[in-house]
Amino acid sequence: MNGNEFYYKERYKRNIIIESIGLEKQQKLLEKKVLIAGAGGLGSGVIAGLVSAGVGTIGIIDSDKVELSNLNRQFIHRESSIRSLKVESAFEWIKNYSPKTSVNIHKTRINDDSDAAFFREYDLIIDCFDSYRSKFTLNKICMKKGLALIHGGVKEFYGQVLTIVPEKSSCLDCMFENPEFDTEKTIGIISPAVNVISSIQAMEGVKFLLGMEDLLIDTLLAYDGIKQEFRKISLKRRKDCISCGGF
Ligand SMILES: [Zn+2]
């Protein structure tokens, strides 16, 4: 056993002893590439979840800089990173925690006309954007490129997760026919709600990458942090959906 092999077996020992994972699937995880769209609150939790689980390559899209008001929830950034780019601060967090993880940073903002060619390098996209306009844009790009997407959203004490597999399941545009975007309003978010939702997104991500079943496909998981309740809401794919209806 060489040094590298010893390192991986030791670092991911507690994953490897899970019967449904084992060494083979752990190695599979190390070969996977996941693109995390947004390095804010959800992004912090998803990055931490996937890097620690042993996903080999993490890509991060974000064009914002760290602000003091982000630090009630975006735990991968520090006060000393204020005014630095979030992608750079996230890169630093990952490299300190897990130096062997490969990290690609994409300092860009996507819009409906984005070519987003680099998306194709990835096995899975995770929606950690904070604005609904960006979430719908991301949904459109992923459906067009046939890429799986794990949606997550949080507001105050509440949140939701949906796993979208193109050609198989309903997407964000199937759920909301004519979404209205209120981009001016800043919404309140309490960090434990973000951590619950980002952990569920990371869990879905690991299961998807390992080819496991029982994903949140056609099922919106809604979390109520006040009542401490989870609800599953069944969704149906719309044939006339503007994003996934063409398949
Ligand atoms: Zn759709």
PDB file of all heavy atoms in Angstrom, residues 139 143 164 169-175 236-238 240-245, ligand 1:
ATOM      1  N   ASN A 139     -31.765  26.146 -13.669  1.00  0.00           N
ATOM      2  CA  ASN A 139     -32.653  25.041 -14.047  1.00  0.00           C
ATOM      3  C   ASN A 139     -32.720  24.909 -15.576  1.00  0.00           C
ATOM      4  O   ASN A 139     -32.570  23.822 -16.124  1.00  0.00           O
ATOM      5  CB  ASN A 139     -34.041  25.309 -13.449  1.00  0.00           C
ATOM      6  CG  ASN A 139     -35.053  24.225 -13.789  1.00  0.00           C
ATOM      7  OD1 ASN A 139     -34.992  23.121 -13.280  1.00  0.00           O
ATOM      8  ND2 ASN A 139     -35.990  24.535 -14.680  1.00  0.00           N
ATOM      9  N   MET A 143     -31.414  21.708 -17.750  1.00  0.00           N
ATOM     10  CA  MET A 143     -32.356  20.909 -18.549  1.00  0.00           C
ATOM     11  C   MET A 143     -31.889  20.869 -20.010  1.00  0.00           C
ATOM     12  O   MET A 143     -31.944  19.839 -20.662  1.00  0.00           O
ATOM     13  CB  MET A 143     -33.782  21.474 -18.462  1.00  0.00           C
ATOM     14  CG  MET A 143     -34.430  21.373 -17.082  1.00  0.00           C
ATOM     15  SD  MET A 143     -34.365  19.738 -16.321  1.00  0.00           S
ATOM     16  CE  MET A 143     -33.017  19.921 -15.180  1.00  0.00           C
ATOM     17  N   ILE A 164     -33.609  16.899  -9.441  1.00  0.00           N
ATOM     18  CA  ILE A 164     -34.142  16.957 -10.815  1.00  0.00           C
ATOM     19  C   ILE A 164     -33.227  16.156 -11.744  1.00  0.00           C
ATOM     20  O   ILE A 164     -32.049  16.473 -11.887  1.00  0.00           O
ATOM     21  CB  ILE A 164     -34.226  18.431 -11.286  1.00  0.00           C
ATOM     22  CG1 ILE A 164     -35.090  19.257 -10.311  1.00  0.00           C
ATOM     23  CG2 ILE A 164     -34.760  18.515 -12.713  1.00  0.00           C
ATOM     24  CD1 ILE A 164     -34.911  20.762 -10.450  1.00  0.00           C
ATOM     25  N   SER A 169     -37.690  13.441 -14.533  1.00  0.00           N
ATOM     26  CA  SER A 169     -38.490  14.023 -13.455  1.00  0.00           C
ATOM     27  C   SER A 169     -38.860  15.472 -13.733  1.00  0.00           C
ATOM     28  O   SER A 169     -38.346  16.097 -14.657  1.00  0.00           O
ATOM     29  CB  SER A 169     -37.699  13.935 -12.154  1.00  0.00           C
ATOM     30  OG  SER A 169     -36.585  14.794 -12.207  1.00  0.00           O
ATOM     31  N   SER A 170     -39.757  15.974 -12.903  1.00  0.00           N
ATOM     32  CA  SER A 170     -40.200  17.358 -13.057  1.00  0.00           C
ATOM     33  C   SER A 170     -39.089  18.308 -12.624  1.00  0.00           C
ATOM     34  O   SER A 170     -38.249  17.977 -11.789  1.00  0.00           O
ATOM     35  CB  SER A 170     -41.450  17.606 -12.219  1.00  0.00           C
ATOM     36  OG  SER A 170     -41.238  17.153 -10.913  1.00  0.00           O
ATOM     37  N   CYS A 171     -39.094  19.500 -13.227  1.00  0.00           N
ATOM     38  CA  CYS A 171     -38.064  20.500 -12.922  1.00  0.00           C
ATOM     39  C   CYS A 171     -38.696  21.701 -12.232  1.00  0.00           C
ATOM     40  O   CYS A 171     -39.896  21.717 -11.973  1.00  0.00           O
ATOM     41  CB  CYS A 171     -37.316  20.884 -14.200  1.00  0.00           C
ATOM     42  SG  CYS A 171     -38.210  22.027 -15.271  1.00  0.00           S
ATOM     43  N   LEU A 172     -37.896  22.721 -11.968  1.00  0.00           N
ATOM     44  CA  LEU A 172     -38.417  23.913 -11.269  1.00  0.00           C
ATOM     45  C   LEU A 172     -39.524  24.601 -12.059  1.00  0.00           C
ATOM     46  O   LEU A 172     -40.494  25.087 -11.490  1.00  0.00           O
ATOM     47  CB  LEU A 172     -37.301  24.933 -11.052  1.00  0.00           C
ATOM     48  CG  LEU A 172     -36.409  24.844  -9.834  1.00  0.00           C
ATOM     49  CD1 LEU A 172     -35.703  26.172  -9.620  1.00  0.00           C
ATOM     50  CD2 LEU A 172     -37.169  24.433  -8.591  1.00  0.00           C
ATOM     51  N   ASP A 173     -39.379  24.630 -13.394  1.00  0.00           N
ATOM     52  CA  ASP A 173     -40.400  25.289 -14.209  1.00  0.00           C
ATOM     53  C   ASP A 173     -41.695  24.482 -14.280  1.00  0.00           C
ATOM     54  O   ASP A 173     -42.741  25.036 -14.592  1.00  0.00           O
ATOM     55  CB  ASP A 173     -39.853  25.574 -15.621  1.00  0.00           C
ATOM     56  CG  ASP A 173     -39.037  26.858 -15.641  1.00  0.00           C
ATOM     57  OD1 ASP A 173     -39.569  27.899 -15.218  1.00  0.00           O
ATOM     58  OD2 ASP A 173     -37.864  26.804 -16.034  1.00  0.00           O
ATOM     59  N   CYS A 174     -41.622  23.164 -14.010  1.00  0.00           N
ATOM     60  CA  CYS A 174     -42.858  22.365 -13.941  1.00  0.00           C
ATOM     61  C   CYS A 174     -43.642  22.757 -12.682  1.00  0.00           C
ATOM     62  O   CYS A 174     -44.858  22.716 -12.651  1.00  0.00           O
ATOM     63  CB  CYS A 174     -42.542  20.876 -13.842  1.00  0.00           C
ATOM     64  SG  CYS A 174     -41.800  20.144 -15.281  1.00  0.00           S
ATOM     65  N   MET A 175     -42.883  23.140 -11.652  1.00  0.00           N
ATOM     66  CA  MET A 175     -43.482  23.432 -10.353  1.00  0.00           C
ATOM     67  C   MET A 175     -44.161  24.810 -10.332  1.00  0.00           C
ATOM     68  O   MET A 175     -45.230  24.980  -9.798  1.00  0.00           O
ATOM     69  CB  MET A 175     -42.380  23.356  -9.292  1.00  0.00           C
ATOM     70  CG  MET A 175     -42.886  23.294  -7.900  1.00  0.00           C
ATOM     71  SD  MET A 175     -41.668  22.743  -6.682  1.00  0.00           S
ATOM     72  CE  MET A 175     -40.161  23.544  -7.007  1.00  0.00           C
ATOM     73  N   LYS A 236     -45.635  16.707 -10.550  1.00  0.00           N
ATOM     74  CA  LYS A 236     -45.812  16.046 -11.846  1.00  0.00           C
ATOM     75  C   LYS A 236     -45.109  16.847 -12.916  1.00  0.00           C
ATOM     76  O   LYS A 236     -45.155  18.067 -12.926  1.00  0.00           O
ATOM     77  CB  LYS A 236     -47.306  15.962 -12.172  1.00  0.00           C
ATOM     78  CG  LYS A 236     -47.897  14.635 -11.792  1.00  0.00           C
ATOM     79  CD  LYS A 236     -49.095  14.334 -12.680  1.00  0.00           C
ATOM     80  CE  LYS A 236     -49.630  12.955 -12.380  1.00  0.00           C
ATOM     81  NZ  LYS A 236     -50.970  12.967 -11.887  1.00  0.00           N
ATOM     82  N   ARG A 237     -44.491  16.132 -13.845  1.00  0.00           N
ATOM     83  CA  ARG A 237     -43.823  16.806 -14.943  1.00  0.00           C
ATOM     84  C   ARG A 237     -44.873  17.341 -15.907  1.00  0.00           C
ATOM     85  O   ARG A 237     -45.849  16.662 -16.202  1.00  0.00           O
ATOM     86  CB  ARG A 237     -42.947  15.769 -15.648  1.00  0.00           C
ATOM     87  CG  ARG A 237     -41.888  16.401 -16.439  1.00  0.00           C
ATOM     88  CD  ARG A 237     -40.887  15.344 -16.819  1.00  0.00           C
ATOM     89  NE  ARG A 237     -40.348  15.661 -18.111  1.00  0.00           N
ATOM     90  CZ  ARG A 237     -39.851  14.775 -18.939  1.00  0.00           C
ATOM     91  NH1 ARG A 237     -39.854  13.512 -18.616  1.00  0.00           N
ATOM     92  NH2 ARG A 237     -39.367  15.161 -20.085  1.00  0.00           N
ATOM     93  N   ARG A 238     -44.670  18.583 -16.341  1.00  0.00           N
ATOM     94  CA  ARG A 238     -45.625  19.167 -17.290  1.00  0.00           C
ATOM     95  C   ARG A 238     -45.090  18.993 -18.710  1.00  0.00           C
ATOM     96  O   ARG A 238     -43.954  19.354 -18.994  1.00  0.00           O
ATOM     97  CB  ARG A 238     -45.841  20.652 -16.982  1.00  0.00           C
ATOM     98  CG  ARG A 238     -46.726  20.874 -15.765  1.00  0.00           C
ATOM     99  CD  ARG A 238     -47.267  22.285 -15.694  1.00  0.00           C
ATOM    100  NE  ARG A 238     -46.210  23.269 -15.483  1.00  0.00           N
ATOM    101  CZ  ARG A 238     -45.883  24.191 -16.369  1.00  0.00           C
ATOM    102  NH1 ARG A 238     -46.515  24.298 -17.508  1.00  0.00           N
ATOM    103  NH2 ARG A 238     -44.912  25.046 -16.100  1.00  0.00           N
ATOM    104  N   ASP A 240     -45.859  20.626 -21.258  1.00  0.00           N
ATOM    105  CA  ASP A 240     -45.626  21.913 -21.936  1.00  0.00           C
ATOM    106  C   ASP A 240     -44.615  22.780 -21.170  1.00  0.00           C
ATOM    107  O   ASP A 240     -44.522  23.985 -21.397  1.00  0.00           O
ATOM    108  CB  ASP A 240     -46.950  22.671 -22.086  1.00  0.00           C
ATOM    109  CG  ASP A 240     -47.587  22.978 -20.729  1.00  0.00           C
ATOM    110  OD1 ASP A 240     -47.171  22.356 -19.711  1.00  0.00           O
ATOM    111  OD2 ASP A 240     -48.487  23.840 -20.673  1.00  0.00           O
ATOM    112  N   CYS A 241     -43.838  22.168 -20.301  1.00  0.00           N
ATOM    113  CA  CYS A 241     -42.862  22.936 -19.510  1.00  0.00           C
ATOM    114  C   CYS A 241     -41.850  23.628 -20.437  1.00  0.00           C
ATOM    115  O   CYS A 241     -41.330  22.998 -21.369  1.00  0.00           O
ATOM    116  CB  CYS A 241     -42.136  21.988 -18.552  1.00  0.00           C
ATOM    117  SG  CYS A 241     -40.761  22.782 -17.708  1.00  0.00           S
ATOM    118  N   ILE A 242     -41.557  24.899 -20.143  1.00  0.00           N
ATOM    119  CA  ILE A 242     -40.649  25.648 -21.018  1.00  0.00           C
ATOM    120  C   ILE A 242     -39.199  25.169 -20.916  1.00  0.00           C
ATOM    121  O   ILE A 242     -38.391  25.425 -21.782  1.00  0.00           O
ATOM    122  CB  ILE A 242     -40.715  27.186 -20.740  1.00  0.00           C
ATOM    123  CG1 ILE A 242     -40.493  27.474 -19.238  1.00  0.00           C
ATOM    124  CG2 ILE A 242     -42.009  27.790 -21.240  1.00  0.00           C
ATOM    125  CD1 ILE A 242     -40.136  28.916 -18.953  1.00  0.00           C
ATOM    126  N   SER A 243     -38.867  24.448 -19.847  1.00  0.00           N
ATOM    127  CA  SER A 243     -37.488  23.973 -19.701  1.00  0.00           C
ATOM    128  C   SER A 243     -37.289  22.502 -20.023  1.00  0.00           C
ATOM    129  O   SER A 243     -36.308  22.132 -20.647  1.00  0.00           O
ATOM    130  CB  SER A 243     -36.996  24.206 -18.261  1.00  0.00           C
ATOM    131  OG  SER A 243     -36.828  25.574 -18.041  1.00  0.00           O
ATOM    132  N   CYS A 244     -38.211  21.640 -19.573  1.00  0.00           N
ATOM    133  CA  CYS A 244     -37.977  20.196 -19.767  1.00  0.00           C
ATOM    134  C   CYS A 244     -39.038  19.553 -20.655  1.00  0.00           C
ATOM    135  O   CYS A 244     -38.998  18.348 -20.881  1.00  0.00           O
ATOM    136  CB  CYS A 244     -37.891  19.474 -18.418  1.00  0.00           C
ATOM    137  SG  CYS A 244     -39.480  19.253 -17.601  1.00  0.00           S
ATOM    138  N   GLY A 245     -39.964  20.372 -21.173  1.00  0.00           N
ATOM    139  CA  GLY A 245     -41.097  19.822 -21.937  1.00  0.00           C
ATOM    140  C   GLY A 245     -40.729  19.268 -23.303  1.00  0.00           C
ATOM    141  O   GLY A 245     -41.503  18.550 -23.918  1.00  0.00           O
TER     142      GLY A 245
HETATM  143 ZN    ZN B   1     -40.002  21.120 -16.324  1.00  0.00          ZN
END
